[in-house]
Amino acid sequence: METLIYILKAHLLFLILGGIYHFTLRTEKSFTFNRFYLLAIYGVSIVAPLLDFKIFNNIKFLEPSLLDTATYSAGMSNSANTAANNLVTFEVIFPWIYGFLVSLSLLFF
């Protein structure tokens, strides 16, 4: 699950920085700066989700015991048992598919 969150953060950051380039820097004539900016987008979107900022430590979340899970527990237990029996789950295979698609796109472009 942590891999999926990392991928979502990286893509969101890449979309934001790519949008900044598309709307502001695309028409600039400084090709050297544009080239370095585009290369930096990749590095920043890969490294930035790994950083841990301490400003969010004071946020208090609801405890799971306070939520009413009695109605969902019966349906979730059946799906949890079937997922535990399978050796290949979505969380295991998705990073491999994602890595393959990223490698393929890097080779293509």
Side-chain angles (χ1 to χ4, degrees):
M1 191 65 171
E2 291 177 16
T3 306
L4 294 176
I5 292 171
Y6 168 77
I7 291 171
L8 288 174
K9 286 180 182 179
H11 274 90
L12 181 63
L13 189 58
F14 184 76
L15 286 174
I16 291 170
L17 293 174
I20 290 171
Y21 172 79
H22 181 73
F23 291 116
T24 60
L25 300 172
R26 179 176 54 160
T27 58
E28 291 293 322
K29 299 298 181 198
S30 175
F31 296 115
T32 305
F33 176 74
N34 285 350
R35 183 179 300 127
F36 285 122
Y37 182 80
L38 289 172
L39 290 173
I41 287 175
Y42 288 110
V44 168
S45 65
I46 290 171
V47 173
L50 297 174
L51 300 176
D52 185 28
F53 297 105
K54 301 295 181 188
I55 60 174
F56 298 112
N57 286 345
N58 294 332
I59 296 175
K60 296 184 180 174
F61 295 100
L62 290 175
E63 297 210 15
S65 62
L66 298 176
L67 301 173
D68 184 21
T69 58
T71 57
Y72 299 107
S73 63
M76 295 300 278
S77 64
N78 292 336
S79 63
N81 289 338
T82 57
N85 291 336
N86 293 337
L87 295 176
V88 179
T89 61
F90 181 73
E91 291 178 359
V92 172
I93 201 164
F94 184 75
W96 288 98
I97 293 171
Y98 176 74
F100 174 73
L101 292 176
V102 167
S103 302
L104 188 66
S105 67
L106 286 175
L107 290 174
F108 181 73
F109 290 114

